[in-house]
Amino acid sequence: MRKVTSLLPPFAAVLLLTACGSEQAGTPGAAAPASGTATTAPSVDGVRITSVTIPSGTPAPSSDEFSVHADPLPSRDSGISAAYEVTNTGTGALTYTILFDFTTDAGAVMGNSHETVRSVDPGATVRGTVRLGVPAPGASRVTRVKVSRVTKVPAAEAPPASGECPASGLRLTADDGDAAMGLRVVGLHLENCGKRDYPLDGYPLLELLDKDLAPVQGVRIVNGSGDISSGTGFDEPARPLVLKPGESASSGLMWRNTTESGAAVNVPYVRVRAQQGADPVTLTPHLDLGTTGKLAVRAWTRPSK
């Protein structure tokens, strides 16, 4: 699964995920053939950039402690690609989501790409390549490729790939959320992609997990708004639903990131069950709970039309 987000206008950069190894663009106006140059960039949570590819005739790249650097490239087709590898040093199969940043020499991010590498077995290494295509006219030159963030969840609890229906017949996902003046809301979405009706009543069940997937203590999970904010729909009572095949329900998480006395709490992972007895799905909403110690949950409802 690939999610690409550009920090420039939509035409500013095209990021493509290729198969293992390096491929050259086969479109008119593409850069001249390129070659890969090995790097010594350090691993970030098991993910390491192993080489960069730049157009032939330009100086070889160098690396610093955090990213892989290439000297300025022509503005027509950057020719930059980064080969990477994912190594699972844990004891169970993991699914990785990696944020790659494509930046200028000064560190300004010109584009980024979320890449998901599924079901990496313990001790296994999986390789891939990320490519930067044609930048917009006048865009700043991209000279660095960086592993910006890595999240990893048990493979059996990873959200399904786009278009995939889990064995449970339920597809549970989270959206990108919304933030305004310290108030945060992340939507949860449940789709019955199976062949049987699914009765649903109440609130999703949550377990908050830290970066090591261990339980987070000291945060109170409340059904409804918990007085965090009014007029959000979180105080609507739970009602029994029956999701027929193809139908969906929505819930949500709400919190404030207020920070006062004490240590701020950040929760990268949330293990979610649609209800008691349902299969768990581990999501990565990155909850910045501040020092509030409270997370509100909305009851399952049918999506607004």
Side-chain angles (χ1 to χ4, degrees), residues 42-119:
S43 174
V44 178
D45 288 336
V47 180
R48 185 172 70 90
I49 294 177
T50 57
S51 70
V52 293
T53 299
I54 61 175
S56 58
T58 59
S62 60
S63 64
D64 58 20
E65 184 180 356
F66 303 105
S67 59
V68 176
H69 170 268
D71 288 328
L73 300 170
S75 60
R76 55 189 185 93
D77 183 19
S78 70
I80 294 177
S81 66
Y84 66 90
E85 62 182 25
V86 180
T87 301
N88 181 0
T89 59
T91 58
L94 297 172
T95 288
Y96 293 74
T97 300
I98 311 153
L99 175 62
F100 291 96
D101 282 347
F102 295 82
T103 77
T104 65
D105 232 12
V109 178
M110 295 292 103
N112 51 44
S113 177
H114 283 91
E115 310 294 346
T116 299
V117 182
R118 294 186 174 274
S119 300

Side-chain angles (χ1 to χ4, degrees), residues 211-235:
K211 63 183 181 61
D212 298 317
L213 298 174
V216 173
Q217 306 297 331
V219 177
R220 185 161 58 98
I221 299 173
V222 296
N223 292 338
S225 70
D227 295 324
I228 292 174
S229 182
S230 60
T232 59
F234 271 64
D235 286 322

Side-chain angles (χ1 to χ4, degrees), residues 117-181:
V117 182
R118 294 186 174 274
S119 300
V120 182
D121 290 330
T125 296
V126 176
R127 296 176 176 84
T129 302
V130 175
R131 184 186 301 270
L132 178 65
V134 181
S140 299
R141 288 172 173 154
V142 170
T143 59
R144 295 181 184 271
V145 185
K146 177 181 179 180
V147 178
S148 180
R149 186 173 69 193
V150 177
T151 56
K152 49 191 177 184
V153 303
E157 299 181 10
S162 178
E164 177 184 282
C165 186
S168 66
L170 299 173
R171 183 184 291 116
L172 177 61
T173 58
D175 59 31
D176 292 334
D178 189 19
M181 297 182 67

